[in-house]
Amino acid sequence: LKIKTDTAFAGVIAIAAGLALISFIILILGVAGFLNHAVLLGFFVLIALYSVYDLRSSSFKYKIPKLDISENIMFGVILLFVLLNLLGSFTPETFYDSLLYHLGLPQYYLNEGGLKAVAHNIFSGFPQNSEMLYTFAVGLDGELLAKLLNLAIGLLAVLALYFFSKKHFGRKTALTAAVLIYCIPMTSVNQVMTQVDLHLTLYVLLSLFLLI
């Protein structure tokens, strides 16, 4: 499927599609009973090797545009919130849903070596795509990597909004949209905790944008 869009936006779409594929592969590994550090590390190495090969063969270049004063201010505000959310990601996880199933179940699956039902926890009956990504992250390097993955997915959602808005409404409108969505308190709350709201935001936005 060839998508008529700019290269940067196509890159965001490709990353989101790749994350979806990874979540399905982790689900298959979990059902088959192959969830352990060695298998996940080997899978990560394969992804890294393919990524290096793909980047070396790619001619993609993105030139950062010159911004005016108001655009520089908005970009600076976004960078400030990215830094604050990054620092917040290094705090211990305390969110109830994360401890119950967003991270709790992935850790249980890893302890058991595969997807297993948990008594009195209904969420173990329908593992979510985001939880499979968290399983991958926790299996590689623990809770911190899962939190940084969540941060990256939130930023990817903002990039998707920015590139789509830039194409249809101009750069200043795109930056305004990015500031409005990323600098509200609820977004920061979702960025520093391993929730799934921004994951859902990313794929809903991309579905809408691709439809348009």
Side-chain angles (χ1 to χ4, degrees):
L1 177 64
K2 292 184 178 180
I3 303 169
K4 291 183 178 180
T5 184
D6 62 79
T7 307
F9 186 36
V12 173
I13 297 168
I15 294 172
L19 288 172
L21 178 60
I22 290 172
S23 72
F24 282 118
I25 292 174
I26 299 300
L27 175 64
I28 293 171
L29 291 174
V31 171
F34 291 109
L35 281 184
N36 58 68
H37 178 74
V39 171
L40 295 180
L41 182 60
F43 181 42
F44 174 78
V45 170
L46 288 176
I47 295 173
L49 290 175
Y50 175 77
S51 298
V52 171
Y53 168 77
D54 191 54
L55 287 173
R56 285 175 63 89
S57 61
S58 173
S59 59
F60 171 69
K61 292 181 180 179
Y62 183 74
K63 185 178 180 181
I64 300 177
K66 292 183 179 180
L67 307 177
D68 62 27
I69 295 177
S70 62
E71 291 172 331
N72 274 310
I73 291 174
M74 288 189 286
F75 186 67
V77 170
I78 293 174
L79 285 181
L80 174 63
F81 273 79
V82 170
L83 177 60
L84 292 174
N85 292 334
L86 176 61
L87 293 174
S89 297
F90 284 86
T91 60
E93 186 58 79
T94 58
F95 183 53
Y96 176 80
D97 287 0
S98 298
L99 299 177
L100 179 64
Y101 59 99
H102 292 325
L103 288 187
L105 285 179
Q107 185 61 65
Y108 179 77
Y109 297 150
L110 291 164
N111 292 344
E112 296 295 319
L115 269 62
K116 304 289 184 180
V118 180
H120 312 300
N121 190 334
I122 189 174
F123 299 103
S124 67
F126 46 96
Q128 303 176 78
N129 292 343
S130 296
E131 287 172 2
M132 294 299 95
L133 292 175
Y134 285 149
T135 300
F136 191 26
V138 172
L140 286 175
D141 197 43
E143 171 193 322
L144 176 59
L145 186 58
K147 299 191 77 171
L148 293 176
L149 172 65
N150 178 60
L151 180 77
I153 290 176
L155 292 173
L156 201 62
V158 176
L159 284 175
L161 177 65
Y162 171 79
F163 288 125
F164 176 82
S165 301
K166 178 174 175 286
K167 177 181 178 181
H168 292 278
F169 307 107
R171 190 176 66 200
K172 184 166 291 189
T173 301
L175 272 171
T176 303
V179 167
L180 289 175
I181 192 172
Y182 196 72
C183 298
I184 58 175
M186 184 55 68
T187 298
S188 291
V189 169
N190 279 273
Q191 280 281 259
V192 302
M193 299 179 183
T194 48
Q195 304 185 43
V196 299
D197 303 69
L198 289 174
H199 302 217
L200 181 62
T201 300
L202 170 63
Y203 287 99
V204 169
L205 284 177
L206 287 179
S207 298
L208 175 63
F209 296 161
L210 291 175
L211 179 63
I212 292 174

